[in-house]
Amino acid sequence: MHRVTLLPGDGIGPEITAATIVVLEAAGVELQWERFEAVGLAGMERYGRPLPEAVLDSIRMNRVALKGPITTPVGKGFRSVNVSLRQKLDLFANVRPCRKLPGLRTPFEDVDLVIFRENTEGLYSGIETYDERLEIADSTARITRRGSQRILRFAFEWARVNGRRHVTAVHKANVVKMSTGLFLKEAIAMASAYPDLDFDHRIVDNMAMQLVQRPAEYDCIVTTNLFGDILSDLCAGLVGGLGVVPGANIGDSVAVFEAVHGSAPDIAGQGTANPTALIRTAAMMLRHLGERTAAETIEAALRQAYVEGCWLTPDVGGSSTTMDFAHRLAERVASKQGEA
Ligand code: NAI
Ligand code: MG
């Protein structure tokens, strides 16, 4: 039995979370959820805080959480709960595997990228000021040597353990010489400790162009917070969109699993969001919990669903609802579990 903190989130969050739980139940893993609904705007309304301390305590205690997206007010209001959570729990590595599902029609056949996004510093450090008199806004992109080293080590280790060949560090050290220059310097130093892996580095704007023209030439990408945020949505676009790409926030002792996408207010409440990204995220969580067979069963059922191409959601060319997709997938998962 695994105790897991569950944050369904808002927008499409509760819909895709319900769908994911249906699939997890079919996989037969015993999960005991500690559920928190009042986070983000709902937390503000109920407790006057977007991220109640009880949520952090629960995640620290259980060491694992599954999280739906949480809406952040734009340009004003409370700080992003998603960013706060990563910083308060020191979840320094954001891992986002972008791999095409068979059957999905995308511009490239053989994209299989993993983005390692530094998750606690850079332009998301939260060091921001506004000088009313001079009308000047500052946001500090703080990068530390230690912060760079740990995400780089994490990426190289992950690449080695998972049989990957190639790591690319992405930066903007030609212009932003101090902060991303430090990251690049540490990347080059770290690469020398991994002679078994190919290493190169790219300036972020060029990288964006390379990724839309020749994505198959890249394998693992490690980068600072903002660049990782942007490039992971770009890479999601290469493999079928935000509806299908999972993610994990990993620290030394705690992990919070969440998809790349946000709360999708444009489709929230319609029951048509794609739960695939969160279901793949849950499969990553199962691997983390040592439940490899269940994770593989879910991943195999997903591949089968996409090859067959029926009962998919609208974002990937189908016309099914979130829950229809989940129930059909759950049937496949349960029958595969029966065979195993
Ligand atoms: P978004 O990722 O929510 O949506 C971008 C586009 O992708 C929309 O057209 C949406 O309908 C579509 N989309 C996203 N997930 C989908 C899914 N599962 N199935 C089908 N279509 C999907 O990004 P947006 O609109 O920029 O942000 C909305 C809100 O989400 C903002 O408040 C933002 O701060 C928050 N956000 C939260 C994140 C988190 O909780 N980790 C991550 C990213 C954004
Ligand atoms: Mg993002």
Side-chain angles (χ1 to χ4, degrees), residues 12 67-72 82 86 242-243 258 260-267 273-274 315:
I12 60 169
K67 176 186 168 297
I70 296 170
T71 304
T72 310
N82 312 305
R86 295 164 189 165
L242 285 165
E258 69 176 329
V260 172
H261 64 74
S263 55
D266 54 340
I267 57 165
N274 192 346
D315 60 309

Side-chain angles (χ1 to χ4, degrees), residues 75-91:
K76 58 178 167 35
F78 61 82
R79 245 194 117 203
S80 162
V81 170
N82 312 305
V83 173
S84 296
L85 202 61
R86 295 164 189 165
Q87 289 174 342
K88 290 194 167 163
L89 297 170
D90 207 21
L91 305 168

Side-chain angles (χ1 to χ4, degrees), residues 35-59:
R35 198 182 176 105
F36 293 87
E37 320 270 355
V39 184
L41 193 58
M44 281 304 275
E45 282 163 4
R46 194 159 338 148
Y47 303 112
R49 316 192 50 169
L51 182 55
E53 204 58 35
V55 174
L56 295 166
D57 290 343
S58 167
I59 301 174

Side-chain angles (χ1 to χ4, degrees), residues 148-157 183 186-187 190 222:
S148 301
Q149 285 175 338
R150 64 179 183 172
I151 182 65
L152 289 159
R153 189 175 300 110
F154 185 98
F156 279 100
E157 284 294 325
F183 181 82
E186 294 305 324
M190 190 64 70
V222 60

Side-chain angles (χ1 to χ4, degrees), residues 96-171:
R96 296 174 154 182
C98 301
R99 186 177 203 163
K100 203 180 97 75
L101 279 157
L104 255 188
R105 234 177 298 138
T106 58
F108 302 95
E109 263 315 303
D110 43 5
V111 180
D112 183 6
L113 293 156
V114 186
I115 311 253
F116 298 89
R117 164 186 177 189
E118 200 292 322
N119 218 12
T120 57
E121 47 184 42
L123 204 57
Y124 294 52
S125 298
I127 310 166
E128 298 198 291
T129 57
Y130 181 65
D131 186 318
E132 298 274 356
R133 196 176 56 84
L134 298 175
E135 299 181 309
I136 295 176
D138 282 303
S139 301
T140 301
R142 175 167 294 170
I143 285 180
T144 65
R145 182 158 185 246
R146 172 177 168 268
S148 301
Q149 285 175 338
R150 64 179 183 172
I151 182 65
L152 289 159
R153 189 175 300 110
F154 185 98
F156 279 100
E157 284 294 325
W158 195 99
R160 184 181 268 174
V161 168
N162 290 280
R164 295 282 178 152
R165 297 281 342 125
H166 182 180
V167 177
T168 304
V170 175
H171 64 91

